[in-house]
Amino acid sequence: GRVEVPRSVTAVLGQDVVLPCRYRAQEQEQVVQVTWLKRGPGTVPTEVAVLNPQHGEHVQDPFVGRVLRHGHGALEDGAIVLRN
């Protein structure tokens, strides 16, 4: 399979933005978890959110209330919304 994400996403200060992420699974593949990381130059990646249908969605404390899953259903669509 392969992960499909846009090269860039434009956000407007003070508005919500969707960060798309789609996985095109091959036959017999199933997405069981999606993990979002925040990366910055010269820093260690920080976990933002984990989407797991069996254990639920978990957003790390600094991002609670600002990061939500976009949509429902299968995790082939693992997009998130950054609020405000």
Side-chain angles (χ1 to χ4, degrees):
R2 72 174 186 232
V3 176
E4 296 176 346
V5 294
R7 220 177 215 329
S8 67
V9 175
T10 301
V12 176
L13 186 63
Q15 294 185 11
D16 296 353
V17 64
V18 175
L19 298 181
C21 179
R22 183 165 242 352
Y23 184 73
R24 298 289 179 191
Q26 293 182 6
E27 240 182 89
Q28 304 301 320
E29 281 187 316
Q30 180 181 4
V31 179
V32 295
Q33 181 168 295
V34 173
T35 302
W36 279 89
L37 302 174
K38 179 181 179 183
R39 298 174 126 182
T43 63
V44 175
T46 303
E47 187 177 281
V48 173
V50 177
L51 312 176
N52 184 301
Q54 187 175 17
H55 302 290
E57 300 167 16
H58 177 74
V59 177
Q60 295 295 333
D61 284 341
F63 306 101
V64 170
R66 295 189 53 225
V67 173
L68 307 167
R69 180 166 181 207
H70 183 259
H72 302 283
L75 283 179
E76 280 76 10
D77 179 1
I80 59 172
V81 177
L82 300 182
R83 304 214 45 209
N84 195 15

